[in-house]
């Protein structure tokens, strides 16, 4: 009676699955790592209380008209107006209110101004 099986177990080890896992972990950590050039955005929760720490409000309507503290200004002079409004503040903060239909590049323009001048930005959202 022959008890020895026909199938042989191979002692070779394949590194391809281990390489895939390491590669996926590398991608995950690269995506989740904080970039030093990232904008400091504080997104408020839609539910709950908001604190009254508003220093300057910047609004952009669907016609791409800019308002700083409800005063209409030309979009070219927004950085100058923000510097004047936030002068002397120890923690300058901008609340950005952009309509849904406004292109993201308009909001990013204001965020870029805030980043260059070390202002914090809070993006205003509509409650659920």
């Amino acid at each position: 009676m022959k008890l020895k099986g026909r199938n042989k177990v191979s002692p070779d080890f394949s590194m391809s699955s281990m390489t895939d896992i390491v590669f996926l972990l590398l991608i995950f950590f690269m995506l989740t790592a904080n970039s030093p050039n990232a904008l400091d955005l504080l997104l408020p929760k839609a539910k709950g209380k908001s604190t009254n720490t508003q220093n300057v409000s910047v609004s952009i309507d669907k016609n791409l008209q800019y308002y700083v503290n409800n005063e209409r200004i030309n979009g070219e002079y927004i950085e100058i107006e923000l510097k004047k409004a936030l002068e002397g503040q120890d923690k300058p903060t901008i609340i950005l209110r952009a309509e849904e239909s406004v292109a993201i590049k308009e909001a990013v323009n204001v965020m870029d101004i805030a980043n260059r001048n070390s202002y914090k930005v809070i993006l205003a959202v509509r409650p659920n």
Side-chain angles (χ1 to χ4, degrees):
M1 178 189 289
K2 187 175 182 183
L3 295 176
K4 193 172 185 180
R6 286 186 282 168
N7 297 335
K8 279 184 133 182
V9 178
S10 174
D12 297 335
F13 180 72
S14 175
M15 288 291 290
S16 64
S17 60
M18 186 67 73
T19 305
D20 291 343
I21 291 171
V22 170
F23 181 68
L24 289 174
L25 284 173
L26 176 68
I27 291 174
F28 174 75
F29 286 123
M30 285 177 59
L31 291 175
T32 58
N34 288 338
S35 172
N37 296 329
L39 295 175
D40 188 16
L41 293 180
L42 302 173
L43 298 177
K45 294 180 181 177
K47 296 179 184 176
K49 296 179 183 178
S50 63
T51 59
N52 192 9
T53 60
Q54 175 178 346
N55 289 337
V56 172
S57 169
V58 175
S59 303
I60 308 171
D61 67 5
K62 62 185 173 188
N63 298 324
L64 300 180
Q65 295 175 343
Y66 290 83
Y67 297 87
V68 174
N69 290 336
N70 297 325
E71 181 182 330
R72 186 173 172 208
I73 62 162
N74 190 343
E76 298 173 9
Y77 304 114
I78 190 162
E79 185 167 7
I80 297 167
E81 291 295 324
L82 286 173
K83 283 182 179 180
K84 278 196 274 186
L86 293 170
E87 188 176 31
Q89 301 277 346
D90 54 338
K91 292 184 182 177
T93 305
I94 299 171
I95 294 188
L96 178 59
R97 293 182 174 93
E99 265 187 68
E100 272 183 344
S101 60
V102 173
I104 192 71
K105 70 177 186 175
E106 302 299 328
V108 168
N109 182 31
V110 175
M111 289 185 241
D112 186 42
I113 291 169
N115 187 35
R116 282 195 307 257
N117 295 294
S118 300
Y119 302 149
K120 289 191 181 240
V121 176
I122 298 174
L123 182 62
V125 295
R126 181 177 50 209
N128 287 339

